Structures are given as structure tokens and as C-alpha cells.
């Protein structure tokens, strides 16, 4: 959601750049500029890909105008821009509802706003402002408690284990709740997913508690390979689903809530109240439609190659105390890597590798809960498909050499 781009370029949770104020922000800005320059100069980038300039993003959208298939239909480039949610926005909403198998979908400029609105709608409908969610769920970790501060909701936690809650944990929760929210995948536990049977059982347990089920599916697009099910089958387990258009699809920003028509109408009312009824949003909408066309079909391929990359990294760092690939194998095209070095050393070694060899392995690193142990998030997308397992292992060895220098 807002500001959550993963550790590859992340500024930290809730925008926190450290306790030293302007000095910390200046250091972060300097490091980000150096990282961007290094990545743009690379021949190969493993995680997330080479950063693009504003000019490149504009050219990508402008190229749509020259395609023969974008004059009408789902693109509508020959029509007028949207005005307060019609035109292109309406097209994206209908396309999203179709892909997820719902009656309606409502576009929001941010995911924080999207989930806050739909959770508030369910609270008004169920008569309960209590939401059962994981303590690592995105609203708890990355949104400054907006659901509580602005919407008057409260949370209860079925489990604190770094995984989705089980059916028994949902059934055994010692407080009543009106909404069960499941994040698929659970990003801050390492992009982890339950099995299909475990997911169905947890959903049934929520309904057994007379709760509605909402899925935080910011990255739901990438779960089909793991579950072996279609998007409508996965989304159909829930009463509503939130999806992001930039986290897996590469859009500029934006999100949507797929839901029944009457809930969609209520979400639109709250979207207006929360300030999300923007005058025009067609660049964001076009980038989302492009992502649905271009990236969505490739996500299973990315997920398959993530297993290759994770295995190569696991082999390269095998025997190193504290080195962990998690989950192993990955559940989606994203996973975490833990290494027993301070984050600053890993950042410097990675930049040296990129600057000296033209190959970049990882983005940003973050200190873990144990001093000297750091974590990065690896996103396997189009640029990573160029990497063989042998090349990943070779560059990992190069990183270790530069760690000695760093």
C-alpha cells in the first residue's frame, strides 16, 4: 500500500528513516541515489528490476496510443479522460470484478484507503467494529493504525506465529469479531501462504463465528500457482477482496476492492468521504490495465523461477550460520533472505558488486531482530528470468568477496 514497496528501495516501516532526523534522511537519500545509479548502470538486475525514469514511464503509457487494439474496448483511449470516477476508472473496475469473479469492484487511489473503507463498511453491516487479523498484517505494521485512529475499528489477533491463522485458532479466539481479515500472502512473515485446505478451513471457521471474511490480497495475483486454483476460486472464498495494481503488476499506484454490489456502493460513499474521489486518474488506471495485460499472465512463470533463484542462493550461502532463505521453497515470486552481517555492510558490498561487475543481486537490507543479522526481500520478475542458477551462485560468491572489503 502507501509507501510499501518492499525492502528494495523501502524507506522503512511507516516512513521511519531512523531516529536521527534530518541526518538519517540525508543518508538514506544519498544511499538511494547511489543505489539507483548503480542499478541503472547494470547489465543484469536480479531483484525487482532496473529502476525506470519518469520519461521511460511516460513513454510506456504514450506507446499505448499507437497500438491498434487500444482505441476502444477495455482501453478507451479515443474517449474522454475520466471525471470523478467514470470512463477509464469504470473500465478498470469492471475488468477487476470480472477477473476476481465479483459483482463489483471499486477503485481507490491507495490501498490504505481501500481497506479502511471496506472494513468500515463491514463493521457497519455486522454491527461489530472488531477485526480479527494477524499482528503482522499490513494495517497493523505499515499504515500508522489508520483503521483505528480514523475509522474507530479495533483488532484482535488469532495468532502471533509468523503464518496465517489456523481454523482452530480462529475458532478458539476468546473475543467476538465481525470481520476475519486474511492477508494472502502474509508479506511480513516472508510472503507465506497456507495450503488450500488450510485456507478453506480458516474461512469456514470465520463463518462459523458469524463473521464476514475479507482478504487483504494486495499480492493475491501471484497466489494461483501455489494454490493450484484460479483467481475467481481463490477470491470466491471471501466476502470482499482488496488488490493492489502496483505491487505485483507494476502499475503507478492504485488499488481496488472487489465485493457485492451493495457493498461497492457503500465503499464509493466512503471513498468520497476519505478524499479518494479524485478529478482524474487515467494515467494510474492505464498503467493498471497494462499491468493486468502484461504482468498478470507472467506471474506463474516468475513464481516458478523464484524457486530456482532461492535454491541457488540457499546453496551459495549453505553452511553460513544464520543464513536462511524463507520460505524454502518460496510460495510466490517473492521471498526473504537472511544473512549474518550488518545491513550497512551488505548494502555496501551489494553496491560494489553492481558498480564493479554490472550485476546487482539485491535491493535494500534491513537489520533483523538479532544484532548482526539482516534481511532483504527478493522479487523475481521479468529481469530475473535472464539469470541462471549458476549465474546467481557466481554473483553470490562475488558478494561474499566484497563483504570482506566492506
Amino acid at each position: 500500500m502507501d509507501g510499501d514497496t518492499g525492502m528494495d528501495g523501502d524507506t522503512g516501516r511507516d516512513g521511519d528513516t531512523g531516529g536521527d532526523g534530518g541526518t538519517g534522511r540525508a543518508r538514506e537519500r544519498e544511499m538511494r541515489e547511489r543505489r539507483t545509479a548503480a542499478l541503472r548502470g547494470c547489465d543484469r538486475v536480479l531483484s525487482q528490476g532496473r529502476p525506470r525514469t519518469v520519461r521511460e514511464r511516460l513513454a510506456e503509457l504514450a506507446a499505448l496510443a499507437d497500438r491498434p487494439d487500444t482505441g476502444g474496448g477495455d482501453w478507451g483511449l479515443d474517449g474522454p479522460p475520466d471525471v470523478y470516477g467514470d470512463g477509464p476508472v469504470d473500465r478498470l473496475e469492471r475488468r477487476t470484478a470480472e477477473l476476481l469473479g465479483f459483482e463489483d469492484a471499486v477503485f481507490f487511489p491507495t490501498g490504505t484507503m481501500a481497506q479502511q473503507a471496506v472494513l468500515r463498511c463491514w463493521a457497519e453491516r455486522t454491527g461489530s467494529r472488531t477485526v480479527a487479523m494477524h499482528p503482522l498484517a499490513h494495517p497493523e505494521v505499515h499504515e500508522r493504525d489508520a483503521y483505528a485512529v480514523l475509522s474507530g475499528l479495533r483488532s484482535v489477533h488469532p495468532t502471533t506465529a509468523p503464518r496465517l491463522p489456523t481454523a482452530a485458532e480462529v475458532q478458539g479466539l476468546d473475543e467476538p469479531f465481525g470481520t476475519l481479515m486474511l492477508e494472502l500472502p502474509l508479506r511480513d512473515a516472508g510472503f507465506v501462504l497456507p495450503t488450500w485446505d488450510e485456507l478453506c478451513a480458516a474461512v469456514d471457521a470465520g463463518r462459523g463465528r458469524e463473521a464476514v471474511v475479507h482478504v487483504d490480497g494486495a499480492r493475491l495475483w501471484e497466489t494461483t500457482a501455489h494454490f493450484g486454483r484460479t483467481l475467481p476460486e481463490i477470491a470466491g472464498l471471501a466476502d470482499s477482496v482488496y488488490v493492489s495494481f502496483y505491487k505485483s503488476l507494476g502499475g503507478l499506484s492504485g488499488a481496488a476492492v472487489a465485493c457485492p454490489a451493495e457493498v461497492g456502493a457503500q465503499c464509493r460513499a466512503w471513498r468520497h468521504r476519505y478524499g479518494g474521489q479524485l478529478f482524474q486518474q487515467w494515467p494510474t488506471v492505464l498503467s493498471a490495465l497494462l499491468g493486468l495485460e502484461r504482468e498478470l499472465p507472467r506471474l506463474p512463470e516468475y513464481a516458478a523461477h523464484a524457486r530456482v533463484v532461492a535454491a541457488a542462493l540457499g546453496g551459495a550461502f549453505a553452511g553460513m550460520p544464520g543464513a536462511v532463505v524463507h520460505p524454502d521453497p518460496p510460495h510466490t515470486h517473492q521471498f526473504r533472505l537472511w544473512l549474518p552481517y550488518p545491513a550497512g555492510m551488505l548494502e555496501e558490498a551489494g553496491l560494489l558488486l553492481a558498480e564493479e561487475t554490472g550485476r546487482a543481486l539485491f535491493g535494500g537490507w534491513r537489520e533483523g531482530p538479532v544484532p548482526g543479522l539482516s534481511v532483504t526481500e527478493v522479487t523475481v520478475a521479468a529481469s530475473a528470468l535472464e539469470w541462471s542458477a549458476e549465474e546467481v551462485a557466481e554473483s553470490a560468491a562475488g558478494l561474499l568477496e566484497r563483504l570482506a572489503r566492506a
Side-chain angles (χ1 to χ4, degrees), residues 163-319:
R163 53 162 173 74
L164 273 294
T166 65
E169 289 165 339
V170 174
Q171 290 168 346
L173 193 56
D174 59 1
E175 294 188 62
F177 54 92
T179 303
L180 171 65
M181 194 193 87
L182 301 172
E183 184 176 327
L184 301 176
L186 185 56
R187 179 265 180 99
D188 277 286
F191 307 97
V192 297
L193 291 164
T195 67
W196 179 252
D197 288 344
E198 288 169 341
L199 175 60
C200 292
V203 168
D204 289 343
R207 300 207 192 285
R209 295 290 301 266
E210 300 183 348
V212 297
V213 177
H214 170 69
V215 165
D216 176 338
R219 299 171 172 86
L220 189 76
W221 310 112
E222 64 200 54
T223 64
T224 55
H226 175 83
F227 288 131
R229 298 293 194 280
T230 65
L231 282 171
E233 287 178 299
I234 301 168
L237 293 177
D239 297 285
S240 60
V241 174
Y242 146 69
V243 290
S244 171
F245 293 118
Y246 75 87
K247 289 184 180 176
S248 299
L249 302 179
L252 297 176
S253 60
V257 171
C259 54
E262 64 273 15
V263 179
Q266 191 178 3
C267 280
R268 287 182 174 89
W270 280 109
R271 178 180 66 185
H272 197 173
R273 294 184 181 112
Y274 280 123
Q277 192 80 344
L278 277 64
F279 176 54
Q280 289 187 345
Q281 302 181 86
W282 55 268
T284 297
V285 168
L286 288 179
S287 72
L289 288 169
L290 187 62
L292 289 172
E293 177 191 72
R294 184 180 60 189
E295 291 299 302
L296 182 58
R298 303 194 71 182
L299 289 174
E301 181 184 14
Y302 298 163
H305 197 59
R307 293 176 171 239
V308 175
V309 171
L313 291 173
F317 299 120

Side-chain angles (χ1 to χ4, degrees), residues 189-190 309-311 313-330 335-341 362 365 373-378:
V309 171
L313 291 173
F317 299 120
M320 180 184 294
V324 175
V325 170
H326 177 73
D328 187 14
F335 59 92
R336 287 187 165 186
L337 173 67
W338 297 79
L339 289 181
Y341 294 91
F362 312 117
W365 288 84
L373 191 64
S374 301
V375 59
T376 189
E377 292 177 346
V378 182

Side-chain angles (χ1 to χ4, degrees), residues 352-364:
L352 288 173
L353 179 71
E355 292 163 347
E356 295 173 1
T357 71
R359 293 190 176 187
L361 278 174
F362 312 117

Side-chain angles (χ1 to χ4, degrees), residues 105-166:
V106 183
F107 179 78
F108 287 85
T110 74
T112 296
M113 187 187 296
Q115 291 217 110
Q116 196 173 154
V118 72
L119 291 175
R120 184 164 192 155
C121 290
W122 286 127
E124 292 173 350
R125 289 172 173 271
T126 63
S128 170
R129 290 187 171 270
T130 303
V131 183
M133 67 174 80
H134 200 284
L136 292 177
H138 203 283
E140 296 277 38
V141 178
H142 296 285
E143 299 175 16
R144 294 185 183 268
D145 300 319
Y147 72 93
V149 176
L150 299 181
S151 297
L153 307 178
R154 64 183 292 266
S155 66
V156 292
H157 302 149
T159 182
T160 58
R163 53 162 173 74
L164 273 294
T166 65

